[in-house]
Amino acid sequence: MRTLSLLICLLAIALPAHAEKGHVHGEGSLEVVIDKGRLSLRLELPLDVAVGFERAPRSDKERAALAAAQQALADPALFVPTPAAGCKPEPVRIAMPTFDGNKPAAHADIDAAYEFSCATPAALKSVETTIFKSFKRLYRLDARRAGPTGQGAGRLTPKNPVLAW
Amino acid sequence: MKAVLRLAALSAWSRRLTLGLTLVAIALAVTLLLAVERIRTDARQSFTQSVSGVDLVVGARTGGVQLMLYAVFHAGAASNNIGWESYRALASHPAVDWALPLSLGDSHRGFAVLGTSADYFSRFRFGDREALRWREGKAFAGVFEAVLGSEVAQGLGYRLDDKVTLSHGLVEHGPEHGDKPFRVVGILAATGTPVDRTVLVSLESISALHLDWIGGAPLPGVAIPAEFVAKFDLRPKEITAALVGLKQRSDVFRMQRFINQYRGEPLLAVLPGVALDELWQAVAMVERTLLAISALVVLIGLAGLAATLLAGLNERRRELAILRALGAGPGRIFLMLTVEGVLVTTAGALLGLGLLTVGSGLAAPWLLERFGVVLATRLPGSQELALLGGVIATGLLASLVPGWRAWRMSLADGLTPRN
């Protein structure tokens, strides 16, 4: 029992509370749910990753950058489920951060929700993303998944942009 | 050819001590390599098998892995409890299909005692969504009734209607709840999960045990006899953790956020499968290091084999020269040396596999007790076979060196008289 406690202590040191991911620049998070014929993805991207600043836009250039990021995220082809599953994308919902006047903002995230309806959900085995091509400042996407085959976690990177299960 | 093989075998036999020691070194190295691989895969397997069909594990705010360890594996201790009111609020949330309260902290002769509701026996799932099965008896219905996991019953020799006494805390010789013995009403069939090493009682029993206790010790001068506890309010005030199943899987992340931001008290909800994957991500580096070290040990063993064969060449100059003089070509000599090396490697690998099987059989009960890891005795998996193949291939490469040296030796090499 003592050895076990030691192991637990080591783990407790090695692993801080993971449940609520903080805001880390360069890292986004992705929640993946497969329920019956629906594949739902929820993406949270630090604004910094998308446009390079985390405050209200101050120039036309920055406003254009925000609009470009929103447009890039609105493309459902950003995520590619297993082709064999026959998933059809539905309109993307995007929540851009709102800026409160001239108050210096703390952190800001963009939330985007991607929904697919899949003809053969049993064939759904992976989701690939092209998001790293659109957002060069993004170096990691921490993915968490819940589906009929169980739950899991994965790490998507520019070199490994596939979440498979 | 036959004659050459016979001579080669006899020659190897005459060098049995050095070859034997090399073989033992290779066998031990292979055992180490395979053991690292097997413990790695089996640990994952048994952790993953331990909980199934649970959407969220909820506890007080600590680390996600810590919460998993005590709520699911009954290992370690909770830093804090969650209030019964919070649990009630959570269990009656519209998105929640079912919830199982878990109350830990007492033990029986080294086995964890789990206070829960009787629903546990119908709701709990392990492995591939398998339900708990009864070996004999039934679920607890009243206070001071206990259900035993298969290993508790077997290890301590309990049968139905036996009396067991629980101890306070998780140490084996903690203060006893001697005045309130439990009657065994049911014994579960083996599951290969931590449930096997658990004594299950109702939450009310846990409250009843601690009626006349305060701050982890009996109240001096106060003793409430077992027959009077029913007169008290036995509703639990707090529990350690809860397992939650949702009506719809798509609510799981939303529900997790809701619990993590719960206003009543600081709570933590984790998705068990996600928490385990994150644990594997965190220990992957350690695993890779261990695997690399044991692969190095195998390399050292094989280098030893090559060195032994090379050193043997000098002693065998005369022998090899006579073989050549008798008509064995250089190719045949090369083959003889290489085959000898490969055979020693293969024998070492097989011996290593045998040692692993015997060793894992011996270590399995200890691993299960200490770490909750079920080490299965089974045929080597594909990964292990790949490792064995790699070892033999490397052995072949290492044996090519002495083979090549022998090939290069001139015909007359061993025949010239020594000075």
Side-chain angles (χ1 to χ4, degrees), chain B residues 7-30:
Chain B
L7 280 175
L10 284 174
S11 157
W13 181 247
S14 73
R15 287 172 288 120
R16 56 189 176 274
L17 186 64
T18 37
L19 282 185
L21 282 176
T22 318
L23 184 122
V24 168
I26 295 175
L28 288 178
V30 167

Side-chain angles (χ1 to χ4, degrees), chain B residues 238-400:
Chain B
E238 46 184 25
I239 58 172
T240 318
L243 306 179
V244 175
L246 300 178
K247 285 178 186 144
Q248 285 195 327
R249 189 179 301 123
S250 47
D251 286 332
V252 66
F253 290 111
R254 194 145 33 91
M255 200 61 201
Q256 183 187 27
R257 270 188 288 278
F258 168 77
I259 296 171
N260 286 340
Q261 290 157 11
Y262 185 71
R263 283 172 186 278
E265 64 178 308
L267 295 179
L268 173 73
V270 297
L271 283 76
V274 170
L276 281 180
D277 267 5
E278 282 171 348
L279 172 64
W280 304 138
Q281 277 175 13
V283 297
M285 191 65 198
V286 181
E287 287 177 351
R288 272 202 294 274
T289 313
L290 279 178
L291 212 56
I293 291 173
S294 42
L296 263 182
V297 173
V298 172
L299 274 186
I300 293 169
L302 293 175
L305 170 73
T308 310
L309 291 180
L310 275 175
L313 279 186
N314 272 337
E315 294 169 23
R316 298 169 67 191
R317 279 166 88 179
R318 201 160 289 250
E319 176 196 331
L320 295 176
I322 291 171
L323 280 174
R324 296 281 317 260
L326 288 175
R332 195 148 285 180
I333 298 287
F334 168 80
L335 202 66
M336 197 177 96
L337 267 277
T338 312
V339 167
E340 187 177 304
V342 172
L343 282 182
V344 171
T345 314
T346 313
L350 291 180
L351 186 61
L353 189 61
L355 277 177
L356 175 76
T357 312
V358 174
S360 62
L362 291 177
W366 178 81
L367 270 175
L368 185 67
E369 188 188 329
R370 283 281 173 106
F371 301 103
V373 171
V374 182
L375 207 58
T377 310
R378 54 179 159 78
L379 291 172
S382 58
Q383 197 75 18
E384 290 172 19
L385 286 179
L387 284 176
L388 281 178
V391 169
I392 293 172
T394 319
L396 170 67
L397 280 181
S399 316
L400 287 179

Side-chain angles (χ1 to χ4, degrees), chain B residues 37-283:
Chain B
E37 174 63 21
R38 185 164 285 194
I39 290 178
R40 188 180 79 92
T41 47
D42 282 13
R44 286 186 183 211
Q45 179 74 5
S46 45
F47 276 178
T48 313
Q49 292 279 308
S50 291
V51 60
S52 164
V54 172
D55 288 310
L56 291 168
V57 178
V58 181
R61 201 164 287 169
T62 50
V65 169
Q66 217 179 343
L67 172 59
M68 285 288 293
L69 279 171
Y70 67 70
V72 178
F73 307 113
H74 310 160
S79 56
N80 226 330
N81 284 345
I82 58 182
W84 181 247
E85 292 311 317
S86 303
Y87 168 75
R88 289 303 315 155
L90 175 65
S92 54
H93 188 282
V96 171
D97 185 22
W98 52 267
L100 294 173
L102 307 174
S103 184
L104 291 150
D106 281 354
S107 66
H108 175 68
R109 296 176 63 183
F111 293 104
V113 171
L114 173 66
T116 184
S117 64
D119 287 344
Y120 188 87
F121 303 105
S122 54
R123 280 283 179 213
F124 186 81
R125 294 284 181 276
F126 65 96
D128 193 13
R129 307 224 166 201
E130 285 174 71
L132 293 174
R133 280 177 300 114
W134 293 97
R135 196 162 79 200
E136 47 188 332
K138 55 178 172 50
F140 49 73
V143 183
F144 303 129
E145 291 186 340
V147 169
L148 305 182
S150 72
E151 218 172 296
V152 183
Q154 207 163 27
L156 302 177
Y158 286 133
R159 297 166 174 285
L160 289 187
D161 290 325
D162 278 356
K163 297 268 186 248
V164 298
T165 326
L166 308 187
S167 336
H168 194 74
L170 296 171
V171 282
E172 203 151 330
H173 302 290
E176 292 269 335
H177 294 293
D179 57 332
K180 299 185 180 70
F182 279 69
R183 191 169 65 87
V184 177
V185 295
I187 295 172
L188 292 167
T191 61
T193 72
V195 176
D196 292 355
R197 286 169 290 123
T198 307
V199 177
L200 299 115
V201 301
S202 67
L203 284 175
E204 289 74 20
S205 303
I206 297 270
S207 308
L209 272 184
H210 299 99
L211 271 181
D212 43 9
W213 283 51
I214 265 184
L219 267 178
V222 184
I224 300 168
E227 51 272 30
F228 292 139
V229 295
K231 296 193 197 314
F232 290 83
D233 177 15
L234 291 180
R235 264 181 309 173
K237 289 183 185 63
E238 46 184 25
I239 58 172
T240 318
L243 306 179
V244 175
L246 300 178
K247 285 178 186 144
Q248 285 195 327
R249 189 179 301 123
S250 47
D251 286 332
V252 66
F253 290 111
R254 194 145 33 91
M255 200 61 201
Q256 183 187 27
R257 270 188 288 278
F258 168 77
I259 296 171
N260 286 340
Q261 290 157 11
Y262 185 71
R263 283 172 186 278
E265 64 178 308
L267 295 179
L268 173 73
V270 297
L271 283 76
V274 170
L276 281 180
D277 267 5
E278 282 171 348
L279 172 64
W280 304 138
Q281 277 175 13
V283 297

Side-chain angles (χ1 to χ4, degrees), chain A residues 1-52:
Chain A
M1 219 51 204
R2 204 160 296 155
T3 330
L4 185 56
S5 330
L6 179 72
L7 177 80
I8 292 159
C9 290
L10 285 174
L11 287 176
I13 297 164
L15 302 164
H18 261 298
E20 205 62 12
K21 285 268 157 44
H23 177 101
V24 183
H25 287 190
E27 293 176 17
S29 75
L30 182 69
E31 292 170 357
V32 181
V33 176
I34 306 131
D35 198 6
K36 295 175 193 96
R38 292 191 74 75
L39 168 67
S40 319
L41 307 170
R42 185 175 170 276
L43 174 74
E44 198 175 292
L45 217 53
L47 189 61
D48 172 67
V49 161
V51 295

